[in-house]
mmCIF file of all heavy atoms in Angstrom:
data_model
loop_
_atom_site.group_PDB
_atom_site.id
_atom_site.type_symbol
_atom_site.label_atom_id
_atom_site.label_comp_id
_atom_site.label_asym_id
_atom_site.label_seq_id
_atom_site.Cartn_x
_atom_site.Cartn_y
_atom_site.Cartn_z
ATOM 1 N N VAL A 295 107.522 20.694 -60.584
ATOM 2 C CA VAL A 295 107.698 20.014 -59.313
ATOM 3 C C VAL A 295 107.255 20.952 -58.273
ATOM 4 O O VAL A 295 107.661 22.138 -58.163
ATOM 5 C CB VAL A 295 109.164 19.510 -59.047
ATOM 6 C CG1 VAL A 295 109.279 18.995 -57.746
ATOM 7 C CG2 VAL A 295 109.582 18.574 -60.189
ATOM 8 N N ARG A 296 106.435 20.527 -57.329
ATOM 9 C CA ARG A 296 105.978 21.385 -56.197
ATOM 10 C C ARG A 296 107.209 21.846 -55.479
ATOM 11 O O ARG A 296 108.189 21.179 -55.095
ATOM 12 C CB ARG A 296 105.140 20.444 -55.212
ATOM 13 C CG ARG A 296 104.164 21.216 -54.424
ATOM 14 C CD ARG A 296 103.204 20.316 -53.736
ATOM 15 N NE ARG A 296 102.141 20.914 -53.161
ATOM 16 C CZ ARG A 296 100.971 21.423 -53.817
ATOM 17 N NH1 ARG A 296 100.956 21.456 -55.252
ATOM 18 N NH2 ARG A 296 100.101 22.040 -53.238
ATOM 19 N N ASN A 297 107.221 23.238 -55.271
ATOM 20 C CA ASN A 297 108.255 24.012 -54.532
ATOM 21 C C ASN A 297 109.636 23.970 -55.338
ATOM 22 O O ASN A 297 110.625 24.316 -54.774
ATOM 23 C CB ASN A 297 108.478 23.381 -53.241
ATOM 24 C CG ASN A 297 107.316 23.636 -52.273
ATOM 25 O OD1 ASN A 297 106.594 24.632 -52.386
ATOM 26 N ND2 ASN A 297 107.068 22.681 -51.384
ATOM 27 N N GLN A 298 109.692 23.649 -56.599
ATOM 28 C CA GLN A 298 110.824 23.655 -57.421
ATOM 29 C C GLN A 298 111.425 25.102 -57.417
ATOM 30 O O GLN A 298 110.762 26.064 -57.850
ATOM 31 C CB GLN A 298 110.429 23.340 -58.889
ATOM 32 C CG GLN A 298 111.586 23.503 -59.902
ATOM 33 C CD GLN A 298 111.090 23.173 -61.250
ATOM 34 O OE1 GLN A 298 110.139 22.813 -61.480
ATOM 35 N NE2 GLN A 298 112.093 23.380 -62.185
ATOM 36 N N ASP A 299 112.686 25.213 -56.908
ATOM 37 C CA ASP A 299 113.379 26.439 -56.760
ATOM 38 C C ASP A 299 112.589 27.550 -56.026
ATOM 39 O O ASP A 299 112.908 28.733 -56.147
ATOM 40 C CB ASP A 299 113.715 27.102 -58.225
ATOM 41 C CG ASP A 299 114.693 26.165 -58.916
ATOM 42 O OD1 ASP A 299 115.586 25.495 -58.240
ATOM 43 O OD2 ASP A 299 114.605 26.173 -60.157
ATOM 44 N N PHE A 300 111.628 27.098 -55.338
ATOM 45 C CA PHE A 300 110.685 28.121 -54.701
ATOM 46 C C PHE A 300 111.455 28.920 -53.624
ATOM 47 O O PHE A 300 111.430 30.207 -53.627
ATOM 48 C CB PHE A 300 109.538 27.454 -54.023
ATOM 49 C CG PHE A 300 108.609 28.452 -53.294
ATOM 50 C CD1 PHE A 300 107.922 29.378 -53.980
ATOM 51 C CD2 PHE A 300 108.622 28.449 -51.983
ATOM 52 C CE1 PHE A 300 107.131 30.382 -53.300
ATOM 53 C CE2 PHE A 300 107.828 29.276 -51.207
ATOM 54 C CZ PHE A 300 107.126 30.291 -51.950
ATOM 55 N N TRP A 301 112.216 28.230 -52.753
ATOM 56 C CA TRP A 301 112.787 29.067 -51.613
ATOM 57 C C TRP A 301 113.795 29.988 -52.100
ATOM 58 O O TRP A 301 114.213 31.019 -51.472
ATOM 59 C CB TRP A 301 113.264 28.081 -50.591
ATOM 60 C CG TRP A 301 112.047 27.398 -49.950
ATOM 61 C CD1 TRP A 301 111.701 26.062 -50.071
ATOM 62 C CD2 TRP A 301 111.068 28.004 -49.166
ATOM 63 N NE1 TRP A 301 110.493 25.854 -49.328
ATOM 64 C CE2 TRP A 301 110.057 27.011 -48.853
ATOM 65 C CE3 TRP A 301 110.848 29.386 -48.756
ATOM 66 C CZ2 TRP A 301 108.985 27.297 -48.109
ATOM 67 C CZ3 TRP A 301 109.672 29.550 -47.960
ATOM 68 C CH2 TRP A 301 108.720 28.559 -47.702
ATOM 69 N N LYS A 302 114.479 29.661 -53.291
ATOM 70 C CA LYS A 302 115.513 30.511 -53.918
ATOM 71 C C LYS A 302 114.839 31.876 -54.219
ATOM 72 O O LYS A 302 115.430 32.905 -54.241
ATOM 73 C CB LYS A 302 116.160 29.945 -55.026
ATOM 74 C CG LYS A 302 117.008 28.779 -54.705
ATOM 75 C CD LYS A 302 117.607 28.171 -55.931
ATOM 76 C CE LYS A 302 118.422 26.842 -55.702
ATOM 77 N NZ LYS A 302 118.889 26.160 -56.806
ATOM 78 N N ARG A 303 113.509 31.754 -54.660
ATOM 79 C CA ARG A 303 112.816 32.985 -55.108
ATOM 80 C C ARG A 303 112.463 33.915 -54.043
ATOM 81 O O ARG A 303 112.386 35.193 -54.186
ATOM 82 C CB ARG A 303 111.514 32.593 -55.837
ATOM 83 C CG ARG A 303 111.735 31.787 -57.104
ATOM 84 C CD ARG A 303 110.385 31.224 -57.476
ATOM 85 N NE ARG A 303 110.539 30.827 -58.852
ATOM 86 C CZ ARG A 303 110.358 31.507 -59.866
ATOM 87 N NH1 ARG A 303 110.101 32.834 -59.749
ATOM 88 N NH2 ARG A 303 110.489 31.056 -61.194
ATOM 89 N N VAL A 304 112.101 33.422 -52.818
ATOM 90 C CA VAL A 304 111.591 34.198 -51.736
ATOM 91 C C VAL A 304 112.678 34.469 -50.675
ATOM 92 O O VAL A 304 112.311 35.203 -49.675
ATOM 93 C CB VAL A 304 110.387 33.605 -51.116
ATOM 94 C CG1 VAL A 304 109.207 33.604 -52.169
ATOM 95 C CG2 VAL A 304 110.611 32.238 -50.522
ATOM 96 N N GLY A 305 113.928 34.032 -50.806
ATOM 97 C CA GLY A 305 114.871 34.237 -49.819
ATOM 98 C C GLY A 305 115.106 33.009 -48.980
ATOM 99 O O GLY A 305 114.516 32.017 -49.191
ATOM 100 N N THR A 306 116.003 33.118 -48.011
ATOM 101 C CA THR A 306 116.456 31.986 -47.230
ATOM 102 C C THR A 306 115.406 31.661 -46.102
ATOM 103 O O THR A 306 115.546 30.605 -45.601
ATOM 104 C CB THR A 306 117.834 32.120 -46.765
ATOM 105 O OG1 THR A 306 117.867 33.342 -45.922
ATOM 106 C CG2 THR A 306 118.861 32.271 -47.955
ATOM 107 N N SER A 307 114.724 32.576 -45.701
ATOM 108 C CA SER A 307 113.847 32.388 -44.545
ATOM 109 C C SER A 307 112.606 31.646 -44.959
ATOM 110 O O SER A 307 112.013 31.920 -46.037
ATOM 111 C CB SER A 307 113.389 33.680 -43.972
ATOM 112 O OG SER A 307 112.501 33.509 -42.958
ATOM 113 N N ARG A 308 112.243 30.601 -44.167
ATOM 114 C CA ARG A 308 111.000 29.897 -44.498
ATOM 115 C C ARG A 308 109.814 30.337 -43.670
ATOM 116 O O ARG A 308 108.835 29.829 -43.736
ATOM 117 C CB ARG A 308 111.227 28.408 -44.356
ATOM 118 C CG ARG A 308 112.146 27.933 -45.427
ATOM 119 C CD ARG A 308 112.310 26.475 -45.329
ATOM 120 N NE ARG A 308 113.243 25.997 -46.347
ATOM 121 C CZ ARG A 308 112.969 24.906 -47.227
ATOM 122 N NH1 ARG A 308 111.925 24.250 -47.011
ATOM 123 N NH2 ARG A 308 113.944 24.620 -48.106
ATOM 124 N N ALA A 309 110.025 31.336 -42.741
ATOM 125 C CA ALA A 309 108.959 31.817 -41.896
ATOM 126 C C ALA A 309 109.176 33.265 -41.779
ATOM 127 O O ALA A 309 110.293 33.853 -41.621
ATOM 128 C CB ALA A 309 108.933 31.077 -40.630
ATOM 129 N N TRP A 310 108.102 34.047 -41.763
ATOM 130 C CA TRP A 310 108.232 35.483 -41.597
ATOM 131 C C TRP A 310 107.350 35.867 -40.252
ATOM 132 O O TRP A 310 106.490 35.142 -39.948
ATOM 133 C CB TRP A 310 107.537 36.171 -42.810
ATOM 134 C CG TRP A 310 108.437 36.044 -44.005
ATOM 135 C CD1 TRP A 310 109.293 36.865 -44.478
ATOM 136 C CD2 TRP A 310 108.333 34.924 -44.963
ATOM 137 N NE1 TRP A 310 109.952 36.444 -45.603
ATOM 138 C CE2 TRP A 310 109.331 35.228 -45.949
ATOM 139 C CE3 TRP A 310 107.706 33.753 -45.087
ATOM 140 C CZ2 TRP A 310 109.628 34.370 -46.990
ATOM 141 C CZ3 TRP A 310 107.938 32.920 -46.150
ATOM 142 C CH2 TRP A 310 108.845 33.189 -47.090
ATOM 143 N N THR A 311 107.797 36.943 -39.635
ATOM 144 C CA THR A 311 107.172 37.194 -38.393
ATOM 145 C C THR A 311 105.862 38.018 -38.586
ATOM 146 O O THR A 311 105.017 38.023 -37.757
ATOM 147 C CB THR A 311 108.114 38.156 -37.535
ATOM 148 O OG1 THR A 311 108.532 39.260 -38.315
ATOM 149 C CG2 THR A 311 109.321 37.336 -37.135
#
Side-chain angles (χ1 to χ4, degrees):
V295 177
R296 203 166 191 79
N297 296 326
Q298 175 184 354
D299 295 329
F300 176 69
W301 295 111
K302 291 178 187 175
R303 295 170 166 276
V304 297
T306 59
S307 177
R308 291 185 181 224
W310 291 266
T311 55

